[in-house]
Amino acid sequence: MREPPALAQLRAQIAEIEGVAARHAHLAFGVEAIDALLPGSGIAAGALHEVAGSRELADDAAATVFLAGILSRFEGPVFWCLRYRDLFAPALHLAGLHPDRVIFVETASDTHVLTAMEECLRHPGLAGVVGELGKVGLTSSRRLQLAAETSGTPAFLFRRASDPDKRTEGSAAVTRWRVRAAPSEQLGIPSLGRPRWELALERARGGDPHLWIVEGCDAQGRIALPAQLADRPAAQDGRQAA
Amino acid sequence: MRRVVSLFLPSWPTDRLRRMAAKPPEASAPLVTALPDHGRRVIAAVDAAARQLGIQPGMTVTRARAFAPNLAIVDADPDDDLEGLKRLALWAGRRYSPLVAPDPPDGIWIDITGCAHRYGGEEPLLKDILRRVAASGTTIQLAVADTAGCAHAVAHHVPSGRPTIIAPGKAHAALSILPVSALRIEAGVAEELRRMGFERIEQLIAAPRAPLAKRFGRQLFKRLDQALGQIPEPIEPIFPPTVPRVRRSLLEPIGTAEAFGQVIADLVGDLIPLLVGAGIGVRQLDLLFERVDGQYQVIRVGTASPVRDAAHLAKLLAQKIDTIDPGMGVEAMTLIAALVEPMGPTQRTGLIDSGRRGPDLAALVDALANRFGPDRLYRTQPNASTMPERAIGIVPPLSPAGDAGWDDDSPRPARMIVPPEPIEVIAALPDHPPAMFVWRGKRNRVAQADGPKRLHGEWWREAGHEADMPFAVRDYYQVETISGGRYWIFRLGDGERSTTGPMKWFIHGAFA
């Protein structure tokens, strides 16, 4: 017997009130070429994601703004756990993440970052939790993934100064991103154009690795594909290590 | 490890009089207090000036006058002195640790076990005490040690303008070299011991106990053992009389986290109605564990805004249970609302959950602040400053939203390098952007650049760099390297006049 539509609607409503639906919510990048490759066509809320730059500070800066762009489009306050104070908060604003929405938690070590993240992830209703750290073990990442699933809050492990050539140990994150600065368009005048990044999806549970050249976040936190550049599959790029 | 601070206030009665008097006795005149004693008047307390002249407690007033004709004499009031000491202890209790007690006639105890981390260590904590007490015009000597007896002995016998820290486990060594009179024994006993040849405590430790105990009573070795930490010496803490406080004595000693959790829930349940009745919320909560052996253990939690939500408070306390060493068991627990603030009846009290879906930020912020320290949580707000490193204001995490935003035109690196690091640059002076820079041993060729943008302001003097040179100008460039990395570099000085800066180049941040 089929369920009457009214009942189904009611169930959906209850699910939404209870926050169950949020577990399955996905935030699309709004760039078709990227979203099409992601399971659920976007960044899953209620899951753990990994984002890395490289040993170059400029790449870590790009990853920072990439994260800010994603978080700015989720609703609610953001908890950003860091080990030291080198993040320049106004830059987050540039990607649409207002400073009033971000609470920083400055902890002294990787372990404390993980503790703080887990504590934050027990609280539903946050836009996201970011933890900047160097290393993370499989067990710790599993705990975070579980906590994120329970609360429906997206969690981001921001691997600082991570070496792209080194094989990273496994983690329970559903996606792993690497953001690196790429040469921007030459404007021909002494001024810089919109920044470009080499955005690599190094791992996606239920999806394939891929690499794009994108234009950095705009004031609404959206990235875009440059007009004259087509995307290419990851396998063709020598630097890619999925 | 237990850590006890002993404050010794050598001129407490006179310092107190000076502070309290509307018209203080002249600062230069020596001040003493006097007590009647068998028809004479005897000096009870002396201030520093009088002590310097050789006037000592126990002297007759007549004799003291011979030392200083302009001596100011006030009647002593030991009861008032003790009251003042209690008030000082309660102040310390609010500020440092709830385990405080007066140590009459001229000192207080503070048990700072597990409290020092909030001040960044014992030394900053002690310096804070010293600075604040000294600022009120009170002469103070203080020491911290593993035992109350040792701290007391050191505070009284090591005159120093700085806190004396006896490292954990070093009580024995510290006591050894002090005179026997440091043991808080009667003056007569100390004198007699000295005549028998016992100058220092180490001699007493080495001596056979039985004959001495027979002669002087058990008190002598009790004090010695207390100071050495061989028998416990709890300090009986005092509490402010007016704050809400609930206590539960337990039928039998408990020691497990589950049992503590249950008692915490009961105590919080007892406390909430008191808070509701008084229209207040808690900002700071102390939970005291009275152990079977008479020792006290304490948990202190703070909240960012007034709270009287039972679940919230119980959770904050429960988070810290693992810091408690139950020893042989805990036989009573006391919950003290050490700091309260008015709280309107409209706010939720825990009985009625409004069912709102927004995150309970206050609870999360409190949980994190109690784990990592309240100053580790912050939000940022624009700060009016020309220099980028000072453009960020740090505000408490739950402070109201600021409406001002950052200037959208000024460049904002995502990652700052603080302080800026010197780099080597190849550039055509004065206005051209660099063509290449070397940072941390790596060459970076510049593909394109934006700038210069000139910032005027003081040089970052507080960082201690070239503090005496008032450089006023920095020329900033945003550069993009061949590989696409964007950096923020600047030249100190305008490139023309050396008074504006030494033409050195620095890297200050990285852009996305």
Side-chain angles (χ1 to χ4, degrees):
Chain A
M1 192 187 128
R2 279 196 59 185
E3 225 172 34
L7 202 59
Q9 202 185 345
L10 204 59
R11 273 187 209 285
Q13 254 175 19
I14 291 169
E16 190 173 344
I17 291 163
E18 285 179 344
V20 178
R23 216 171 291 167
H24 308 291
H26 287 75
L27 180 84
F29 280 100
V31 179
E32 205 153 308
I34 299 176
D35 292 333
L37 272 165
L38 289 170
S41 32
I43 291 279
L48 180 70
H49 305 273
E50 222 179 298
V51 176
S54 78
R55 304 197 79 86
E56 300 282 331
L57 192 66
D59 293 342
D60 270 5
T64 308
V65 174
F66 172 70
L67 265 173
I70 294 173
L71 290 164
S72 73
R73 290 178 294 128
F74 278 109
E75 237 172 81
V78 171
F79 276 77
W80 198 299
C81 315
L82 9 87
R83 284 178 303 174
Y84 31 75
R85 202 178 284 189
D86 71 335
L87 178 71
F88 195 56
L92 305 181
H93 193 196
L94 214 58
L97 186 57
H98 196 271
D100 285 344
R101 281 182 56 198
V102 188
I103 295 177
F104 293 98
V105 186
E106 209 173 278
T107 59
S109 68
D110 279 7
T111 330
H112 285 174
V113 168
L114 290 168
T115 319
M117 282 184 80
E118 212 177 313
E119 180 72 48
C120 293
L121 286 173
R122 290 206 199 110
H123 286 251
L126 302 181
V129 178
V130 181
E132 294 187 358
L133 37 66
K135 275 193 182 143
V136 61
L138 187 57
T139 319
S140 316
S141 67
R142 277 205 187 116
R143 287 178 65 115
L144 290 178
Q145 163 67 20
L146 269 177
E149 251 173 47
T150 316
S151 66
T153 306
F156 299 91
L157 283 174
F158 185 175
R159 309 281 299 270
R160 291 302 304 280
S162 104
D163 192 340
D165 299 326
K166 240 197 202 148
R167 257 194 95 76
T168 47
E169 64 266 60
S171 98
V174 299
T175 60
R176 186 165 82 224
W177 300 86
R178 191 177 291 279
V179 190
R180 307 193 64 175
S184 66
E185 194 183 352
Q186 299 268 354
L187 296 178
I189 49 166
S191 182
L192 299 177
R194 187 167 168 182
R196 278 188 190 161
W197 303 330
E198 187 189 284
L199 179 63
L201 175 61
E202 292 190 338
R203 206 177 76 97
R205 199 188 286 168
D208 292 321
H210 203 85
L211 183 129
W212 300 270
I213 298 291
V214 298
E215 289 192 323
C217 292
D218 64 9
Q220 276 78 48
R222 291 180 187 283
I223 53 174
L225 286 186
Q228 72 276 42
L229 274 170
D231 67 308
R232 50 209 157 118
Q236 288 176 17
D237 194 277
R239 216 155 79 184
Q240 173 64 24
Chain B
M1 189 48 128
R2 187 162 180 243
R3 299 294 282 166
V4 185
V5 178
S6 170
L7 268 72
F8 173 44
L9 315 166
S11 344
W12 173 245
T14 51
D15 285 344
R16 202 176 60 85
L17 284 169
R18 277 231 165 80
R19 221 176 54 210
M20 293 202 351
K23 197 168 146 286
E26 270 175 64
S28 57
L31 175 67
V32 297
T33 63
L35 274 175
D37 175 50
H38 300 104
R40 307 172 304 168
R41 288 179 86 209
V42 176
I43 305 287
V46 298
D47 72 351
R51 190 178 295 119
Q52 228 163 27
L53 291 170
I55 302 173
Q56 279 175 1
M59 227 176 233
T60 58
V61 167
T62 335
R63 184 141 179 262
R65 268 199 211 282
F67 286 93
N70 62 339
L71 190 66
I73 303 164
V74 184
D75 284 337
D77 189 342
D79 293 343
D80 250 19
D81 287 342
L82 184 58
E83 276 308 307
L85 217 49
K86 277 186 186 160
R87 277 198 300 277
L88 183 67
L90 289 177
W91 164 81
R94 270 199 313 279
R95 204 176 155 78
Y96 302 105
S97 157
L99 294 177
V100 289
D103 172 24
D106 50 13
I108 61 175
W109 306 109
I110 313 172
D111 186 329
I112 58 160
T113 313
C115 294
H117 66 95
R118 276 185 285 136
Y119 286 82
E122 275 183 0
E123 200 179 338
L125 171 74
L126 295 183
K127 278 189 174 156
D128 191 73
I129 301 177
L130 188 77
R131 193 167 49 78
R132 285 173 194 277
V133 174
S136 73
T138 309
T139 319
I140 171 175
Q141 286 171 209
L142 80 167
V144 62
D146 293 344
T147 64
C150 181
H152 180 99
V154 174
H156 283 66
H157 285 80
V158 182
S160 158
R162 296 171 353 125
T164 314
I165 297 174
I166 305 302
K170 293 276 188 265
H172 191 288
L175 280 168
S176 296
I177 53 169
L178 290 172
V180 284
S181 58
L183 278 179
R184 288 179 294 158
I185 47 179
E186 284 165 45
V189 175
E191 179 59 23
E192 206 168 326
L193 276 169
R194 216 177 54 75
R195 253 187 289 127
M196 288 168 68
F198 291 102
E199 291 284 344
R200 283 175 299 158
I201 295 178
E202 61 183 342
Q203 293 167 298
L204 200 58
I205 295 172
R209 288 196 166 199
L212 285 172
K214 201 168 176 189
R215 174 153 186 183
F216 296 111
R218 305 208 81 70
Q219 184 68 9
L220 173 63
F221 285 106
K222 186 179 160 202
R223 287 296 191 206
L224 181 62
D225 287 341
Q226 281 177 340
L228 290 172
Q230 279 155 6
I231 57 173
E233 184 192 4
I235 63 171
E236 189 80 24
I238 59 166
F239 304 109
T242 53
V243 302
R245 177 164 93 228
V246 290
R247 184 170 189 273
R248 288 222 170 188
S249 302
L250 307 169
L251 289 176
E252 53 188 51
I254 58 170
T256 64
E258 293 76 41
F260 286 146
Q262 182 55 49
V263 181
I264 287 174
D266 293 346
L267 283 170
V268 170
D270 294 348
L271 185 70
I272 299 290
L274 298 181
L275 300 176
V276 173
I280 49 179
V282 170
R283 284 296 309 277
Q284 189 180 303
L285 207 53
D286 292 332
L287 178 59
L288 239 64
F289 297 74
E290 290 167 42
R291 289 195 340 198
V292 178
D293 60 5
Q295 296 276 20
Y296 289 85
Q297 300 254 321
V298 68
I299 286 175
R300 165 171 280 190
V301 297
T303 65
S305 48
V307 173
R308 56 170 179 246
D309 179 315
H312 182 172
L313 294 177
K315 194 178 159 213
L316 289 182
L317 291 168
Q319 260 185 353
K320 293 212 163 180
I321 285 182
D322 53 2
T323 64
I324 293 298
D325 168 18
M328 301 293 288
V330 168
E331 57 182 0
M333 284 161 71
T334 310
L335 185 64
I336 306 143
L339 214 62
V340 294
E341 265 178 25
M343 187 171 166
T346 50
Q347 278 170 288
R348 86 197 174 107
T349 56
L351 300 170
I352 315 147
D353 197 334
S354 58
R356 68 211 161 99
R357 291 200 59 213
D360 190 356
L361 272 191
L364 176 53
V365 164
D366 288 345
L368 291 170
N370 280 306
R371 183 163 289 172
F372 299 111
D375 52 339
R376 295 305 186 88
L377 258 77
Y378 55 89
R379 267 196 3 236
T380 55
Q381 257 176 23
N383 210 1
S385 169
T386 48
M387 282 297 146
E389 62 264 35
R390 265 175 266 129
I392 302 183
I394 301 290
V395 294
L398 295 179
S399 53
D403 34 39
W406 275 281
D407 175 13
D408 272 332
D409 294 333
S410 45
R412 294 175 209 154
R415 293 285 166 182
M416 291 287 261
I417 298 163
V418 183
E421 288 176 22
I423 51 172
E424 309 244 339
V425 159
I426 296 175
L429 283 175
D431 272 351
H432 289 275
M436 203 265 303
F437 66 95
V438 183
W439 176 44
R440 293 181 183 168
K442 189 174 178 247
R443 290 158 156 272
N444 296 276
R445 287 224 2 241
V446 174
Q448 32 189 347
D450 196 355
K453 182 177 168 63
R454 181 157 292 180
L455 290 184
H456 296 267
E458 69 267 61
W459 181 230
W460 69 100
R461 284 174 210 164
E462 56 268 57
H465 289 259
E466 308 178 78
D468 50 342
M469 299 170 82
F471 300 127
V473 176
R474 287 190 223 173
D475 279 345
Y476 275 92
Y477 292 88
Q478 288 186 61
V479 297
E480 186 178 303
T481 62
I482 301 278
S483 61
R486 294 185 173 205
Y487 294 97
W488 211 26
I489 64 182
F490 70 88
R491 182 188 56 217
L492 206 54
D494 63 4
E496 286 164 12
R497 288 160 301 148
S498 59
T499 50
T500 57
M503 317 286 174
K504 279 188 189 144
W505 288 84
F506 293 85
I507 184 163
H508 202 173
F511 292 92

